[in-house]
Amino acid sequence: MGPRRLLLVGEGNFSFAAALSETLDSSVCLTATCLQHPAELARDPVARENLQRLRERGTEIRFGVDCTQLANAFEPQDREFDRIYFNFPHCGRKAGVAKNRKLLAKFFQSCVDVLAEEGEVHVALCRGQGGTSADKPQREWHNSWQVVAMAALGGLILSDVLPFRCEAVPGYKCTGYRSQDKSFHIEGALNHIFTRSLPFEGSQPRVFSIKLGDQWFSFSEPKALAGKLNRGFLEASSCHPIKIINEKLIVELGKIFPLKRLKCSFPLLPLEGTSVLPSWNCDNMSSFWINLHEDNSDPEFLNGEITKEMEDFLVSFSQLSIYKSPRRDGKEVHEGISGQAKVWLRSSLLVHVQAIIQAPDFLPGSLYILSGPVFRKCHILPFMMPAFHETLLILGFNQSLKDGCLPSLLNHLTGILDSLLNQTLPEGSMLNSSVEFVPQLNANNYMIHVKSHNFGPDCAKDLIIGSVTSSAANITHKDQYFVFVSINLDLLAMLTWGIADWRMLWTFDNRFMKKFVPGEIEPFKSYSLYPPLYVHDISFWLNEEKGFDELEFHTVARAVSQDTIISIQFLGRFHHPKTEQVSLCYRLTYQTCDKALTQQQVASMQSQFRKEIQQQLHVIPR
């Protein structure tokens, strides 16, 4: 269904409104406004003619409407516009970029008061003014109108950019500021289309409530993982691209091997009773710890969520041998069942391997598949993610078949992954992605490398999306040889659809899911284009006694910035010659992929970051 109510602001001679009105269906309501009053337009014969045409068509016309105060021009019941148009805004005369930025900022802030929830704001700008990569040539950022940053002040994101074509509205004649004779040069002009952004408030850590026996516990997501626990991307009802690519992978594997799909438990693990195989994704990694707190609130009023996976986890957790400790009231209770218990979020599905292969019903020759979310602390880098979904393949066979089974498995996986990663190409095209299993020091261990151009012809990437690990000394069972294949489904989905930013997979914005049609794989097109970058430097003195953990530095940055920091660059180290103190300096780059982000919000986060590293890392900001 197309837009029903359109609002035009800043009309000069009303030629755009008159031309547009002739292309609209009779069910569309058009409101055309200008800043001038009728007396100012009376001397312009073109304006008079256009106004007459508009009145004959029943178009609503309003004069003296300030585009920076739109709410004042309309009653509350008349403020839901599906589209708002502002063609070639300008403060007039020789106004500099600063004044025009201010005009745009106030206009966007005003738009929010009269824009429908799923409405659009269309702003046409002359070539170069917008300051985005869509401008050819692109102006330097400081010399542009910074239209995306100005829209962010109104909570809007740039969702599309199209050439501004006068021929699409026959009869339109662009005028200059306030209908002056000197018109704007519109060759190479662009139409920028903005939509509402989700607010940042929705990214705060959620609280979960779970029941153990007759006692309720609550726990919060780690701040660095806000919005990433219990998302259900792999559930049966999910249409998320991670679920789609996982199912396609499993279907192809099922054509070659007899399959055994395993149910994945909730990712909380007790302190003991698990073991992890060495793997590619454990480097520079540390676990996230969770504290379960006793909660005596009425369960009906607990602010949290509970799932079947949590219930399964609680059963296994309650069966652990946990020593007893006294409570403050003198009663003896199980630690972890009352008071507080400490658990951790699994960092790899390999923690479940021992239990799987030692199960009485484990069948050699069958391919066991386990899929679920995993979590880890990691440095802030473009393709390093603190949360992702892993699929683990487990294949056991007799030692005598080792030399034949492993190469066969790798050949099949190469063909399957190549096929999945090149589904968006037209038939007969050259492969955009290629898969290679790179051997490690242990000849039977491999890294799964993908060389891909799926993010664009000029953007080649060489990514590690998984690993192949053969039997380790601590993973033994009868006379079996085992191969464990770990695949990062998030990276696989990103490569398949050309999703350049891993954070987009975790968005709460419904527009993301609308990009994926069941049964079809088309290149992903983002609904948030050219988000601005904000750069801040930070330096601090180290505490010699406490030391400095750079991984924790990145984790605190991730938490405070709500994952808006995309790069942390080490700039230098300074050793004070007199005090012997050591200072480090880093450069932080902020940018979002799905939300409006303002310079003021970034400044606030940077200020909070200074406080947090002083409190948590015991450094002294300079």
Side-chain angles (χ1 to χ4, degrees):
M1 184 177 178
R4 299 295 89 190
R5 300 189 67 222
L6 309 182
L7 171 64
L8 277 56
V9 304
E11 283 290 284
N13 60 14
F14 285 89
S15 64
F16 180 76
L20 182 63
S21 68
E22 296 182 2
T23 67
L24 299 176
D25 185 87
S26 59
S27 63
V28 177
C29 178
L30 177 64
T31 301
T33 71
C34 70
L35 181 62
Q36 298 97 309
H37 293 279
E40 297 177 69
L41 296 174
R43 297 184 296 272
D44 185 348
V46 176
R48 291 200 307 270
E49 180 184 347
N50 289 329
L51 287 170
Q52 181 62 32
R53 290 166 58 193
L54 288 169
R55 291 188 178 103
E56 289 173 357
R57 290 182 172 274
T59 300
E60 181 181 2
I61 302 169
R62 297 199 182 194
F63 300 95
V65 174
D66 185 344
C67 71
T68 66
Q69 299 181 41
L70 291 175
N72 294 341
F74 300 95
E75 296 298 323
Q77 67 272 15
D78 296 325
R79 292 178 183 172
E80 292 281 314
F81 289 98
D82 299 302
R83 280 188 191 173
I84 301 174
Y85 292 84
F86 195 179
N87 292 329
F88 307 105
H90 200 279
C91 287
R93 299 181 176 86
K94 295 185 178 181
V97 293
K99 286 186 177 180
N100 286 309
R101 283 182 205 150
K102 188 175 181 180
L103 169 64
L104 284 176
K106 289 185 175 181
F107 163 68
F108 285 123
Q109 290 170 313
S110 176
C111 280
V112 178
D113 296 328
V114 298
L115 185 67
E117 190 60 32
E118 296 185 3
E120 298 176 348
V121 178
H122 291 229
V123 177
L125 296 176
C126 296
R127 179 166 52 192
Q129 288 178 341
T132 71
S133 300
D135 281 303
K136 306 297 180 187
Q138 182 180 1
R139 289 188 192 177
E140 292 183 349
W141 176 248
H142 69 273
N143 195 35
S144 75
W145 292 15
Q146 302 176 4
V147 65
V148 184
M150 297 305 104
L153 292 167
L156 301 173
I157 54 178
L158 180 63
S159 293
D160 206 355
V161 182
L162 301 170
F164 184 86
R165 302 191 185 280
C166 285
E167 58 268 25
V169 279
Y172 170 56
K173 181 181 183 300
C174 177
T175 65
Y177 170 70
R178 290 201 177 190
S179 301
Q180 292 176 359
D181 292 335
K182 187 177 181 180
S183 62
F184 297 119
H185 297 287
I186 62 174
E187 182 182 351
L190 295 174
N191 185 33
H192 302 76
I193 303 174
F194 297 89
T195 58
R196 288 183 184 270
S197 161
L198 290 182
F200 265 97
E201 289 70 22
S203 299
Q204 296 302 317
R206 296 166 298 163
V207 177
F208 296 88
S209 300
I210 54 180
K211 192 175 184 181
L212 180 58
D214 58 356
Q215 178 62 54
W216 282 89
F217 288 80
S218 64
F219 68 92
S220 297
E221 288 177 309
K223 290 183 178 179
L225 295 176
K228 298 189 173 60
L229 261 63
N230 197 33
R231 292 295 298 275
F233 292 164
L234 291 173
E235 290 180 359
S237 59
S238 171
C239 294
H240 197 280
I242 289 174
K243 168 71 179 301
I244 295 173
I245 202 65
N246 192 42
E247 292 304 310
K248 285 181 174 290
L249 174 65
I250 292 171
V251 166
E252 294 302 317
L253 288 168
K255 297 176 181 178
I256 306 163
F257 301 96
L259 301 182
K260 298 285 184 180
R261 296 189 68 169
L262 305 172
K263 181 181 178 181
C264 198
S265 63
F266 193 72
L268 290 179
L269 297 172
L271 295 180
E272 56 187 51
T274 58
S275 61
V276 182
L277 286 174
S279 74
W280 69 275
N281 62 0
C282 293
D283 294 335
N284 297 322
M285 178 270 294
S286 183
S287 299
F288 284 100
W289 295 93
I290 299 287
N291 289 316
L292 299 180
H293 298 279
E294 184 177 350
D295 195 329
N296 295 316
S297 306
D298 187 327
E300 294 183 6
F301 298 100
L302 286 174
N303 177 25
E305 304 177 26
I306 186 166
T307 66
K308 182 64 169 65
E309 287 78 5
M310 288 185 183
E311 294 173 354
D312 294 340
F313 154 73
L314 290 170
V315 171
S316 62
F317 186 74
S318 64
Q319 292 171 348
L320 291 176
S321 176
I322 305 177
Y323 69 90
K324 294 181 178 181
S325 62
R327 275 172 49 170
R328 290 182 179 179
D329 58 10
K331 295 181 180 179
E332 213 176 47
V333 296
H334 288 282
E335 185 170 312
I337 297 181
S338 194
Q340 178 175 309
K342 195 170 187 179
V343 295
W344 60 293
L345 287 165
R346 66 173 173 236
S347 57
S348 171
L349 294 183
L350 290 166
V351 297
H352 303 296
V353 160
Q354 193 85 44
I356 293 170
I357 68 174
Q358 291 183 350
D361 57 352
F362 183 82
L363 292 175
S366 292
L367 187 64
Y368 285 75
I369 300 178
L370 183 66
S371 305
V374 295
F375 307 88
R376 63 180 184 180
K377 293 180 180 179
C378 60
H379 287 79
I380 295 177
L381 294 168
F383 292 94
M384 293 287 284
M385 48 199 74
F388 63 94
H389 298 78
E390 181 182 11
T391 274
L392 180 65
L393 311 178
I394 303 172
L395 182 63
F397 43 85
N398 293 330
Q399 287 275 7
S400 59
L401 301 176
K402 169 185 172 183
D403 293 337
C405 286
L406 182 57
S408 176
L409 175 63
L410 298 186
N411 286 336
H412 286 308
L413 278 173
T414 300
I416 292 171
L417 292 174
D418 271 335
S419 174
L420 291 175
L421 292 170
N422 293 287
Q423 290 183 79
T424 57
L425 295 177
E427 188 174 350
S429 301
M430 295 289 290
L431 292 182
N432 242 15
S433 301
S434 61
V435 179
E436 182 181 5
F437 288 82
V438 179
Q440 303 303 292
L441 293 177
N442 182 331
N444 291 324
N445 290 353
Y446 301 83
M447 296 293 188
I448 307 175
H449 281 249
V450 174
K451 295 181 179 179
S452 177
H453 289 271
N454 282 11
F455 301 119
D458 301 323
C459 187
K461 297 293 181 184
D462 188 351
L463 301 176
I464 298 174
I465 68 164
S467 65
V468 179
T469 307
S470 59
S471 288
N474 62 329
I475 303 293
T476 58
H477 184 57
K478 300 179 181 178
D479 190 29
Q480 300 294 313
Y481 184 85
F482 297 96
V483 175
F484 313 104
V485 180
S486 167
I487 297 176
N488 185 324
L489 292 176
D490 294 47
L491 281 177
L492 187 58
M494 290 171 65
L495 287 162
T496 301
W497 279 277
I499 302 170
D501 195 317
W502 67 266
R503 298 173 298 173
M504 187 64 80
L505 295 168
W506 296 90
T507 183
F508 285 92
D509 198 313
N510 293 329
R511 285 173 288 186
F512 175 74
M513 290 302 299
K514 292 178 180 178
K515 299 284 185 178
F516 303 94
V517 179
E520 297 181 15
I521 293 186
E522 298 290 339
F524 175 76
K525 183 180 179 182
S526 178
Y527 53 86
S528 179
L529 305 178
Y530 312 119
L533 295 167
Y534 304 98
V535 178
H536 285 264
D537 292 348
I538 188 169
S539 60
F540 46 84
W541 298 107
L542 298 182
N543 184 321
E544 293 183 6
E545 296 180 359
K546 299 290 185 180
F548 178 68
D549 187 336
E550 190 174 65
L551 182 59
E552 284 301 316
F553 178 73
H554 281 245
T555 302
V556 174
R558 191 185 298 281
V560 172
S561 73
Q562 299 181 41
D563 259 330
T564 63
I565 292 179
I566 61 168
S567 170
I568 296 182
Q569 178 187 1
F570 176 68
L571 296 182
R573 177 187 181 95
F574 171 70
H575 186 272
H576 198 286
K578 294 183 179 179
T579 65
E580 299 296 320
Q581 283 186 294
V582 174
S583 170
L584 303 181
C585 184
Y586 289 86
R587 174 160 293 168
L588 280 57
T589 302
Y590 293 77
Q591 186 184 48
T592 57
C593 67
D594 66 332
K595 296 178 183 175
L597 181 65
T598 68
Q599 190 171 4
Q600 292 83 347
Q601 288 171 318
V602 170
S604 176
M605 288 189 282
Q606 182 75 3
S607 176
Q608 184 63 29
F609 182 54
R610 292 173 60 86
K611 297 176 183 177
E612 292 293 334
I613 60 171
Q614 183 171 10
Q615 180 180 348
Q616 298 186 43
L617 304 182
H618 310 289
V619 299
I620 303 173
R622 297 178 64 181

